[in-house]
Amino acid sequence: MEFKNEIGLIQRRMAASIAGTSRRLEILNALNIQSGQHVLDIGCGGGHLLEDIAKAVGPEGKAYGLDTSEDQLKQARKRCSSYKNVLTIKGYANQIGLQNNSCDSICSVQTFEYINDVDDSIKELTRLLKPSSIFVNISILWDYYKFFGADEVLNKTIHDTFKAHCFHQMLPTSLEGKLKKFGFKNIKHKPLPMFITNRDDNSPAKFAEEVIGQFAIQQGISETKVNEWKRQLKLAEDEGRFAYTNLPILTYAFIN
Ligand SMILES: C[S@@+](CC[C@H](N)C(=O)[O-])C[C@H]1O[C@@H](n2cnc3c(N)ncnc32)[C@H](O)[C@@H]1O
């Protein structure tokens, strides 16, 4: 899935919402950033976490934000324009234009599942991280990204179509082995489950519904069908039988 235009916009609205804020807090707690450090955010999107990192590392430190999407980087630069310690980098996670051992820590939120060759990008982390430093990742268990309340057949069609939106549906289930293979140790996981029953404008369910609906249309499902699915979800919400579940997993690991 490409994070530009409408999808990029919805993604950034999601990042700005309470769901995005609480996810960033989890990452920041795990990173435990000290002033003066150099910290890289892989797949920085609109730069919400990058801004927090810039504050935490302070003027002597560096906040690096990497993304493949010029649309996202443009927004990240705008958001972080008042920080002189922010450097945005356009590029891919498997070939990052930074020197060996240049990072005190690296983080990534909902990005590694969109990377085809995850191993290659983990190898790149080992090049950039200083000895004994931490990598913190959040990826989604997409099989648990589910809406409840719409007609079963239509609901399944929309969910099945969404499977094509990323390379790795269940990355957290195999990430530990991949990290170990490249010398990471002390690997721990923390589930960050969501069970949402409302669809108001700041609800993670609403943003998730917009993304999955837009993607279904891009994949050739008619707008009429997608609108009917949304209408059914609204009805279910009104009748108190709507739910949206999501299971992001925070993983952290230390390099030798
Ligand atoms: C779901 S968004 C998450 C953005 C941000 N981390 C957040 O939580 O708001 C995924 C981001 O990863 C970027 N991305 C996808 N593949 C990438 C790759 N191989 N290297 C770097 N960034 C990538 C996308 O352009 C997009 O901005």
Side-chain angles (χ1 to χ4, degrees):
M1 186 158 79
E2 280 195 72
F3 291 88
K4 58 182 190 183
N5 305 328
E6 187 65 15
I7 291 207
L9 187 67
I10 302 166
Q11 192 282 316
R12 289 191 296 276
R13 283 179 58 214
M14 165 97 89
S17 76
I18 184 71
T21 309
S22 52
R23 212 177 272 187
R24 281 194 293 285
L25 266 183
E26 293 284 351
I27 287 267
L28 290 166
N29 279 336
L31 286 173
N32 190 23
I33 296 171
Q34 311 294 309
S35 75
Q37 287 190 331
H38 291 200
V39 179
L40 165 66
D41 180 14
I42 295 182
C44 65
H48 298 80
L49 179 58
L50 198 57
E51 186 180 17
D52 291 333
I53 293 171
K55 286 182 206 160
V57 297
E60 305 300 319
K62 277 274 180 218
Y64 301 119
L66 174 88
D67 209 288
T68 49
S69 157
E70 189 50 44
D71 260 27
Q72 295 278 63
L73 286 172
K74 202 171 137 197
Q75 296 301 323
R77 278 184 220 113
K78 204 163 140 191
R79 169 170 292 278
C80 299
S81 60
S82 59
Y83 298 91
K84 292 194 170 57
N85 57 355
V86 170
L87 178 69
T88 55
I89 307 164
K90 185 167 184 331
Y92 288 85
N94 63 343
Q95 205 175 11
I96 303 172
L98 290 172
Q99 291 188 345
N100 293 356
N101 295 330
S102 54
C103 297
D104 294 284
S105 57
I106 299 180
C107 58
S108 185
V109 180
Q110 203 189 312
T111 296
F112 269 68
E113 56 264 59
Y114 298 103
I115 297 175
N116 194 358
D117 189 344
V118 172
D119 285 25
D120 214 22
S121 297
I122 294 178
K123 193 169 155 211
E124 182 69 343
L125 299 178
T126 66
R127 185 182 72 77
L128 297 178
L129 281 169
K130 292 181 184 170
S132 304
S133 54
I134 191 172
F135 169 56
V136 185
N137 182 69
I138 292 181
S139 284
I140 312 284
L141 289 174
W142 290 101
D143 285 358
Y144 297 93
Y145 185 91
K146 288 238 180 296
F147 293 85
F148 299 84
D151 164 74
E152 214 172 292
V153 175
L154 179 57
N155 206 35
K156 187 169 175 335
T157 304
I158 304 276
H159 282 84
D160 284 351
T161 308
F162 199 54
K163 289 200 166 123
H165 99 287
C166 71
F167 288 110
H168 308 282
Q169 287 288 304
M170 297 290 278
L171 181 62
T173 62
S174 59
L175 188 57
E176 187 164 329
K178 291 179 185 300
L179 289 166
K180 277 187 181 156
K181 190 166 113 187
F182 289 99
F184 282 90
K185 56 180 187 177
N186 293 338
I187 303 166
K188 298 224 162 44
H189 307 280
K190 182 177 179 185
L192 309 169
M194 279 189 215
F195 178 76
I196 311 284
T197 56
N198 71 297
R199 296 170 58 264
D200 63 63
D201 281 348
N202 199 31
S203 161
K206 190 72 193 164
F207 297 118
E209 182 184 312
E210 287 303 323
V211 169
I212 194 171
Q214 280 287 331
F215 189 77
I217 292 167
Q218 280 181 13
Q219 296 294 107
I221 306 284
S222 73
E223 234 174 301
T224 315
K225 264 194 178 167
V226 170
N227 287 337
E228 172 57 18
W229 177 68
K230 289 183 182 175
R231 190 194 66 77
Q232 291 180 13
L233 293 181
K234 179 172 180 347
L235 183 66
E237 182 194 16
D238 292 345
E239 293 176 353
R241 52 180 183 79
F242 167 79
Y244 158 72
T245 58
N246 187 1
L247 188 44
I249 305 291
L250 182 144
T251 301
Y252 63 88
F254 294 85
I255 192 69
N256 266 325

